[in-house]
Amino acid sequence: MLSRRTTRLLLGLVLLLAAATRLANIPGVFVGGRVLIWDEDSAYHWHRASLAAARYPKVHTFDWYTNYPTGARMMWPVGFDLALATVVRLVGLVSGGRIPPLVVGVLFDPVLGVLSVLAIYFLGRELGGRAAGLAGAAIAAVLPILTGYSMVGRIDHHAIEPALAALPLALLLHGVRATSDRGRSRTAAGLGVLLAAEIGVWPGAIAAGVLAAASLAVVALWPPRGCDREALVAFGRRTFGVAALVILPIVLAHPWAAVGSFAYYAPTWLQPLVFAASWLSFALAGSSLRRRPASRGALAAALLLVPLVVAVTGVALSPGLRHTAASVLGYLDRGDVQISQVFESYPLLNFGLGTAVQQYGVMAVAFPVLLVALGVCGWLATPGGQLGARIALLWFVVTAGMALGQLRLGSQFAPLWCALWGAAWAYAVRRVEQRAGHHGTVRLAAVLVGLAIMVPTLRLHHLTDRPPQGDLVRSHDALVWLRDHAASPGDVNQPEVRPRFAVMSRWEWGNWLITVAHQANIANPFAQAEVHLRGVRAAAAFFLATDPAGAVHQLEQLGARYVLVTPVFYEIEDVARQLGSRAPRLVVAHSGASLQPTPAFYATMNSRLLVFDGLEVRLEGKTLPPLRRLRLDFESAAEGTEPGWEGSFCKVFEVVPGARIEGTGTPGERADLWLYLVTNRGRHLTYHDRSTAGASGGFEFTVPAAMAGEDGAVRALGPYRIVAGSREAEVAVAESDVAERRTVGIGPEAWRAAAVSPASR
């Protein structure tokens, strides 16, 4: 048996290994004197935490800058961001402000990742002793499913989720096997506090509460020989009684409680209901056991039927609970069309067994062996071992199903996976030592075998300079232009104050718009809640629209002043799903699985803006006029592609009222208008439109661009040129004319003989 001193030394080395794997991408985060945040969720977490640090301890739970024009209640609990804000303030105080807050932010997740490895050590120790804990922690230190969520540069609650899964199970195993009533009672109270507190960090932690209640109910109904059934029921009653009380202030601190929500994706009344129903179940079970003779049927009714009756009654009486039930099923089935675009939401085996091996190590192929071994231990081990194995078996099966259903839910399965393999390794070493002796040699051989098994995984953790999310890198200059040169909607650091307008983009850019561009968004990555999905659907409807007038009207209704447009073809099916049956047919299957765009794809607003710059275009023999209310302001330096096109990855357009140019000619006479433009990249464009004189001889144009323009943006190279019949005129349009929809007339003195004959136009 390992001594405490040796255990601490080895555990310290394992934690250093965990830190090293999570810091492997330092060169990709600290670049050229800048600190780069990894992804869009991390960006908003940092925005929220840095605001909380400045306004400590206030963490905003409503933001007008997200889901404009209604704003939205935040789905994320305050716990993670408040903890980060606290650390930022403490580090600033201790360092005298010498350490930049963002450096603290990007290192916070690696620290949480190391703490999660420590939590897995405690879980492994409960399952098989100190050696099992060390082995499980060593696996967790390098396992990609765990390291990926806690790499340097990420600022996200996912980093602490493994600890939120491991600690409740470790406490539960410790408590049910405690030898004294006092120790069992204290552990139950601690577990109740932990289960409630976790909801303040991640609402998905309700899974740990449900599993704790279910596993206690199962072992109380079918306890191993010699186990005290009444003690198990009392443990459950105390645990969930404490949890039901502690959860109340956490729920009341969030805005969803005020509207009576029972949603699963935020701290709502759902979590207190689950804890209260669990407490009631164990309380009634305790009453049935105190009767003599105790009735097994009454016990089963209390433990199994009471939660079922509460659930069915709640769903029958509460529309909120019905909606939650449907939403949960949709989420697990990736029915949420936004979730369906996220790689992490795909089933683990969707891309083959190789994905499972990469995420969980080569041990993934031995999954059935571990499952069978755990089941055998549940019935053949010592009574204490049987109790722990039966509880672990239920957690293992349920969390494995979660991980198989969605890759991201592996954070709930991986801690037990690591701990069980650690326990299996420790057990095998003990057995060999008992037979062969030579403890030192056996342990060295075991370590070498373990390293050999983990070599493919260890090779993944070399020093890299992988940049943050590619979409951010390719659109960063456009986001900076929106921040520094576009009109300001207000102060993003005052989320309680409604901004004046927003930017229309697809949801992937929503958080970047707030954190980098300092603009309000209409669609964002939060998903799940209906208020957030409204913006996602609105963005899909705009970018796939083929009616420019209707699309511009939609922008005006939503209060959008700018549009940020990016390539969409390779995500077109997922984006179209957001519209359901209203989606136009934009792609066709070609050559097996390959997709090709239909002509309608190039008529969508996304293509009209990105591919054709909002200019006049001829499609399928028809000339489509320019987008007269949308003007190109900026295009990114990075390149992007759509089928048959290559150009700037990201373009920014402005929604303008447009100036009116009016002139007179002969009734029925055609008039043409030209404006020559140059983009910030030096690309030359020609804006062309046409009109026909009415019965009175008058014609008019609505134009989006003005003569004035600044360096670094799209600007005109001269005035508008209008040709009507054999005459031509030049017209200067000011920015105020465009912004206020003023009319600019062409007087008789402005006309002169046209240099180009009408026949050549």
Side-chain angles (χ1 to χ4, degrees):
M1 182 177 179
L2 293 172
S3 67
R4 289 189 176 182
R5 183 176 180 181
T6 302
T7 300
R8 289 171 182 169
L9 175 62
L10 293 175
L11 181 58
L13 293 175
V14 168
L15 296 180
L16 286 175
L17 174 63
T21 57
R22 286 155 177 80
L23 296 175
N25 194 42
I26 276 184
V29 174
F30 295 88
V31 180
R34 291 194 303 158
V35 182
L36 303 179
I37 295 177
W38 191 258
D39 63 292
E40 67 270 16
D41 282 359
S42 298
Y44 195 86
H45 269 300
W46 176 244
H47 171 65
R48 199 180 187 207
S50 59
L51 272 184
R55 310 189 297 179
Y56 196 82
K58 181 180 180 181
V59 180
H60 67 269
T61 56
F62 183 91
D63 192 348
W64 275 108
Y65 281 77
T66 189
N67 285 100
Y68 192 84
T70 61
R73 296 183 293 271
M74 294 292 97
M75 290 165 46
W76 292 339
V78 301
F80 176 86
D81 299 314
L82 181 59
L84 176 53
T86 303
V87 172
V88 167
R89 287 179 66 90
L90 288 175
V91 171
L93 185 64
V94 172
S95 70
R98 289 188 295 273
I99 299 178
L102 186 52
V103 172
V104 179
V106 297
L107 293 175
F108 189 57
D109 268 23
V111 172
L112 295 182
V114 172
L115 292 177
S116 291
V117 171
L118 182 60
I120 292 169
Y121 162 77
F122 289 121
L123 176 57
R125 191 179 69 177
E126 289 299 326
L127 289 169
R130 294 172 186 165
L134 286 171
I139 296 171
V142 299
L143 208 63
I145 189 66
L146 296 176
T147 60
Y149 284 113
S150 52
M151 292 293 289
V152 60
R154 293 195 74 152
I155 308 173
D156 205 329
H157 58 265
H158 294 311
I160 197 63
E161 286 176 18
L164 302 184
L167 289 177
L169 179 54
L171 272 179
L172 177 60
L173 293 172
H174 182 78
V176 297
R177 293 184 296 201
T179 55
S180 70
D181 291 341
R182 186 176 182 183
R184 193 160 42 241
S185 180
R186 286 182 174 180
T187 305
L191 177 57
V193 171
L194 177 63
L195 291 175
E198 288 187 349
I199 302 299
V201 178
W202 179 52
I206 190 65
V210 172
L211 282 170
S215 55
L216 278 171
V218 168
V219 294
L221 284 169
W222 295 282
R225 183 173 300 176
C227 287
D228 187 344
R229 181 179 280 164
E230 289 190 30
L232 293 172
V233 169
F235 187 90
R237 183 179 67 248
R238 177 173 286 269
T239 294
F240 290 100
V242 170
L245 292 175
V246 175
I247 192 66
L248 290 176
I250 295 173
V251 168
L252 292 171
H254 293 83
W256 298 87
V259 296
S261 174
F262 284 91
Y264 71 98
Y265 43 67
T268 66
W269 293 113
L270 176 67
Q271 293 90 3
L273 177 65
V274 170
F275 290 150
S278 300
W279 169 82
L280 178 62
S281 176
F282 285 107
L284 292 176
S287 297
S288 72
L289 288 174
R290 285 192 291 272
R291 296 172 186 165
R292 292 292 182 264
S295 168
R296 188 181 181 89
L299 179 65
L303 293 176
L304 301 180
L305 291 182
V306 168
L308 183 62
V309 168
V310 171
V312 171
T313 304
V315 169
L317 298 179
S318 168
L321 281 174
R322 283 199 298 276
H323 183 265
T324 289
S327 298
V328 169
L329 293 175
Y331 178 82
L332 294 177
D333 190 40
R334 295 174 61 248
D336 181 325
V337 292
Q338 183 179 9
I339 291 294
S340 71
Q341 289 183 255
V342 180
F343 170 76
E344 299 164 329
S345 74
Y346 281 81
L348 176 63
L349 300 179
N350 197 65
F351 302 103
L353 183 61
T355 302
V357 172
Q358 184 186 53
Q359 294 294 323
Y360 292 93
V362 295
M363 305 92 71
V365 298
F367 173 86
V369 176
L370 189 61
L371 180 61
V372 170
L374 190 57
V376 170
C377 289
W379 271 263
L380 298 182
T382 62
Q386 288 182 32
L387 182 61
R390 291 183 187 185
I391 291 174
L393 178 62
L394 178 63
W395 285 62
F396 185 82
V397 171
V398 173
T399 57
M402 294 166 63
L404 287 169
Q406 281 197 18
L407 194 150
R408 69 165 77 196
L409 295 179
S411 64
Q412 302 303 289
F413 172 65
L416 184 54
W417 172 257
C418 295
L420 285 173
W421 277 113
W425 179 89
Y427 175 78
V429 171
R430 284 197 301 269
R431 295 288 292 181
V432 173
E433 285 179 341
Q434 290 170 1
R435 289 175 176 268
H438 308 291
H439 292 189
T441 304
V442 171
R443 291 176 184 178
L444 177 61
V447 170
L448 293 176
V449 170
L451 287 173
I453 292 173
M454 296 303 294
V455 160
T457 299
L458 286 166
R459 290 178 62 189
L460 296 174
H461 298 290
H462 57 278
L463 198 65
T464 66
D465 59 354
R466 181 182 170 195
Q469 186 167 316
D471 287 345
L472 169 64
V473 173
R474 291 191 290 270
S475 57
H476 190 265
D477 55 351
L479 294 166
V480 169
W481 185 88
L482 280 166
R483 181 192 67 199
D484 295 342
H485 300 283
S488 172
D491 186 355
V492 293
N493 293 324
Q494 296 184 33
E496 300 85 3
V497 179
R498 182 173 179 168
R500 291 185 290 274
F501 54 81
V503 177
M504 170 63 81
S505 72
R506 289 195 289 121
W507 64 263
E508 293 94 324
W509 279 265
N511 287 345
W512 296 123
L513 285 171
I514 293 176
T515 58
V516 179
H518 296 181
Q519 299 281 348
N521 67 54
I522 290 170
N524 63 62
F526 283 106
Q528 300 180 70
E530 186 60 32
V531 64
H532 293 286
L533 289 173
R534 176 200 58 75
V536 174
R537 296 180 189 122
F542 170 77
F543 287 110
L544 300 189
T546 55
D547 172 21
V552 170
H553 178 70
Q554 181 193 12
L555 293 177
E556 292 177 327
Q557 292 291 105
L558 292 170
R561 178 162 178 176
Y562 295 95
V563 176
L564 185 141
V565 60
T566 53
V568 73
F569 178 77
Y570 299 102
E571 302 170 55
I572 194 71
E573 290 184 297
D574 286 326
V575 176
R577 283 185 63 206
Q578 293 159 4
L579 302 182
S581 60
R582 297 181 294 122
R585 188 166 180 263
L586 302 174
V587 295
V588 293
H590 179 73
S591 300
S594 173
L595 294 177
Q596 295 294 326
T598 66
F601 171 77
Y602 294 101
T604 63
M605 290 299 291
N606 205 90
S607 294
R608 293 291 307 276
L609 295 169
L610 182 69
V611 177
F612 302 117
D613 299 305
L615 304 177
E616 180 184 77
V617 62
R618 190 166 181 80
L619 294 175
E620 294 191 285
K622 293 176 58 178
T623 299
L624 303 182
L627 303 176
R628 301 173 179 123
R629 299 283 310 283
L630 289 159
R631 73 176 179 200
L632 177 62
D633 280 348
F634 185 88
E635 59 178 354
S636 67
E639 295 284 314
T641 61
E642 295 278 53
W645 172 85
E646 182 175 343
S648 290
F649 174 80
C650 180
K651 295 179 181 179
V652 177
F653 286 79
E654 186 172 357
V655 185
V656 294
R660 296 174 63 197
I661 297 178
E662 292 185 349
T664 56
T666 305
E669 184 178 52
R670 171 179 160 179
D672 288 82
L673 173 146
W674 287 274
L675 179 68
Y676 302 106
L677 303 159
V678 62
T679 72
N680 53 289
R681 295 183 64 193
R683 193 165 57 95
H684 288 262
L685 305 174
T686 300
Y687 180 93
H688 175 249
D689 199 1
R690 61 192 74 198
S691 180
T692 302
S696 63
F699 62 84
E700 69 174 54
F701 296 94
T702 295
V703 295
M707 301 305 97
E710 60 181 68
D711 291 337
V714 178
R715 55 191 176 86
L717 294 176
Y720 284 94
R721 178 169 173 255
I722 294 95
V723 176
S726 59
R727 303 170 302 150
E728 70 175 17
E730 290 185 344
V731 178
V733 174
E735 180 62 30
S736 58
D737 298 330
V738 173
E740 299 173 22
R741 192 161 173 72
R742 292 177 182 169
T743 298
V744 180
I746 307 175
E749 70 283 356
W751 292 103
R752 62 177 182 271
V756 178
S757 66
S760 65
R761 299 205 303 269

